Structures are given as C-alpha cells and as structure tokens.
Amino acid sequence: MDILTDPTAMAVVGSLKSVGYSLADVTTAWTPPIPSTDPPFAFGTNPGGAPNVQSTIAAMQHFGMKIARFWTTGPFTSPPASSLWTLPLQYAAAGIQNVAVLNFQNSAVRCKAPALSDWTNYLNAIPAPANTGISYFEIGNEIDFTAYYNDSPANYAALLRVAAPILRAKGYKIICGNVLYGLTWLNTLAGLGAMTDCDYVGRHAYENNAAAALNDYQSLVTFAIAQGKGVFCTEVGLHGNSANLPQWAAETQKLYAGLKTLNATLNTQHSTLNTQSAIYLQFPLYPTGTTASPQSLFQSNGQPNEPFYSAAERALAIQV
C-alpha cells in the first residue's frame, strides 16, 4: 500500500504531524489500520508503565495483542486536551485498536456523574477517530465500585443516553463501564433501558482461581446474549499469593486458555443473532503499581516477568 495515496493513512499521519512527528517518522513502519469489522477474538493490554511505545508495540505483536486501553479522567468541564490522543495515534499507526476509558474518578464532584451539560460539551468536542486513534469509548471504570463511580444507576444511564448518539455519529463504539461485583448493576441498567445505548458489556472478575472467574464470565455471556450485546472485558486477571507465584501463574494460564474456549462458544451462540461478540482480554504488559502488577508480562526494565510471561505464551500458543 502507498501511504501517500491512502486517505485513512494520511489522516493518521496528519494527526501525528500535529503533535511533532514528521512524515518520514511514520511512513517506513506504516501498517494499515485494522479493518472496522471487529475481529472474532482479540487479546489486548493496558500498557501502563511501558518504557516506550516502540518496545510496547513489539511486545504486543509478540503476544498477538491487537487492542490497547488508555485512560482519561474528568472533571469533563472543558474540552479534551489534544495531548490525550498522542499515544493512541502512535499505536493506531502500528495497526492497534484503542479503547479510551472516560473515568469519573476525578469528576467535578469526585466519582459523581458530571453535569449533563458539561458531559455533552465534552463529548461533542471529541474529534473523529482518525484524529484520536480511538475505536471504542468505555463509559466509566468499575461503575459498581464507589472508588470509581459513586452515583446512582439512573444517573449513569443518563450519561449513556447522552453519549450514545454523539459518539456513534462520530464512528465510535460504546462499552458500558465494566462492573466488578457481579451482574446486579447490569441488570438494573437493563431495566432502565440503558442497554440500547451501548454496544458491549463487560466485567472485571478478579477471583482467586480460574474456575470461579470462568463461571463469572459465563454468567456475563448469558446476560450479553439475552441483551443482544457484545462482550468486551477490559481487565482480566486473578488475585493470588505473591509467595506462591508458580501457582498464581498456573491459574492465570488456565484462565486465559479457558477464555479462548469460552469465546469460541460465544461466537457460535451469537452467530444465530447476527451479533458480533468477543471477549477482549486486557492484562498488564508492564508493572502498573497496582495489586495486578505481579501478573505483568514484563518487568519495568523490559525483561520477561516470570513465571507469568511463560504462562501467557503457553496459554496463547505463542511459537518461540
């Protein structure tokens, strides 16, 4: 493909040039963007703590990861800064699809829903996908956990109702904020009619073993099928004992492998509904300073973090 004659490529190049890159910086390594049709199954990562973009993309390619997740936090009282899109545009230029989380943790009133007027203005100011590098917006993180959202389901449904027409008109898909504590919130939102205002649902099932987590995900799949929604889980991992990393890694390997099998079933079930769905695994690539960091695949110096690195390779059938 000739980058100079491809309008999508040149749109991304133009955005990169606006933040300091030259045409020569991106033409030699250009990879056409992933087609707009969702892949049947994809792994992804939260690239927190990554030493640089190039090494992160190389690591993602090694593991077959196709999605990266980025954060933006309120208060949503002014338009989004153009710097928010600098990293996603670089990943998009390498063929990575990106998720942006609109996180309420530091909203005008901490963790409360922003005023609908501010929220509307903020969403209207988000540029088109070619200028952000973003494919999906996740509306909040762990919305049933007061550390991230401390407001009512009704107010959250109102945020979705405003976001849906604005973001969809720009060409984005919408992920309902993943839940942490089961499906109570999702069922409540469904009762409020909010499922019409999102394309995907998900949950962060941080259990102590693979069997319990897989049972959680199966429950989510059942809910998603009933609602005609896709499944997009933006964090996947297990709690574990740092004094017994081999056991923790072994359970993590079982979880990754089990989700691949579950996803194949999910796609078969959804084929009868003509609804695209997949479980997108988001696990840490580099240490993030959180309790999930022991499961990261790399150390902060870029070296493999064992035993989780090898466990991921085995689960994902990476040829080494």
Side-chain angles (χ1 to χ4, degrees):
M1 174 182 293
D2 183 355
I3 187 173
L4 298 176
T5 61
D6 183 84
T8 302
M10 288 309 297
V12 174
V13 170
S15 298
L16 287 172
K17 288 174 70 178
S18 72
V19 292
Y21 286 82
S22 70
L23 184 61
D25 289 331
V26 293
T27 52
T28 56
W30 170 256
T31 301
I34 296 173
S36 58
T37 301
D38 291 331
F41 180 69
F43 286 97
T45 186
N46 293 284
N52 59 67
V53 172
Q54 291 75 22
S55 63
T56 304
I57 289 174
M60 290 181 69
Q61 291 171 339
H62 173 71
F63 282 99
M65 299 176 184
K66 300 183 183 301
I67 300 175
R69 182 178 182 233
F70 298 91
W71 283 67
T72 176
T73 299
F76 307 111
T77 53
S78 58
S82 59
S83 58
L84 288 174
W85 321 123
T86 301
L87 279 177
L89 283 166
Q90 293 179 65
Y91 282 77
I96 305 296
Q97 286 190 326
N98 297 304
V99 178
V101 185
L102 298 178
N103 174 35
F104 308 118
Q105 198 170 22
N106 288 310
S107 191
V109 178
R110 185 172 172 81
C111 299
K112 294 291 185 180
L116 291 182
S117 57
D118 289 339
W119 180 242
T120 302
N121 291 337
Y122 185 93
L123 295 171
N124 278 325
I126 293 174
N131 297 316
T132 63
I134 300 297
S135 299
Y136 310 87
F137 276 99
E138 182 180 5
I139 311 301
N141 173 69
E142 296 178 355
I143 56 175
D144 58 343
F145 181 27
T146 56
Y148 288 105
Y149 179 74
N150 190 16
D151 213 323
S152 68
N155 284 345
Y156 180 83
L159 297 176
L160 274 183
R161 193 174 306 118
V162 170
I166 296 173
L167 293 178
R168 284 171 173 163
K170 294 175 184 286
Y172 295 106
K173 292 189 176 180
I174 300 170
I175 306 168
C176 182
N178 276 211
V179 294
L180 184 62
Y181 298 117
L183 302 182
T184 300
W185 260 70
L186 289 179
N187 280 308
T188 299
L189 290 173
L192 293 169
M195 289 298 104
T196 61
D197 297 317
C198 66
D199 304 300
Y200 298 91
V201 294
R203 69 181 297 179
H204 299 169
Y206 286 111
E207 299 284 5
N208 294 318
N209 59 75
L214 289 169
N215 184 65
D216 290 346
Y217 288 119
Q218 183 58 69
S219 297
L220 174 67
V221 168
T222 300
F223 173 86
I225 290 173
Q227 298 295 324
K229 298 291 131 180
V231 174
F232 203 133
C233 296
T234 53
E235 293 179 27
V236 171
L238 294 173
H239 294 303
N241 182 357
S242 59
N244 191 352
L245 291 181
Q247 177 62 26
W248 194 354
E251 286 297 313
T252 301
Q253 179 179 336
K254 291 178 185 177
L255 174 61
Y256 294 161
L259 283 171
K260 288 180 67 176
T261 301
L262 178 61
N263 189 77
T265 303
L266 176 63
N267 284 341
T268 299
Q269 292 169 323
H270 266 236
S271 66
T272 61
L273 300 174
N274 194 30
T275 302
Q276 171 64 38
S277 191
I279 293 178
Y280 294 76
L281 302 184
Q282 304 278 354
F283 47 86
L285 199 63
Y286 289 90
T288 59
T290 71
T291 55
S293 292
Q295 299 177 83
S296 66
L297 303 184
F298 291 88
Q299 301 173 44
S300 57
N301 63 5
Q303 295 301 306
N305 183 39
E306 298 294 359
F308 293 97
Y309 181 93
S310 294
E313 284 193 326
R314 289 190 293 270
L316 307 184
I318 303 296
Q319 301 299 315
V320 296

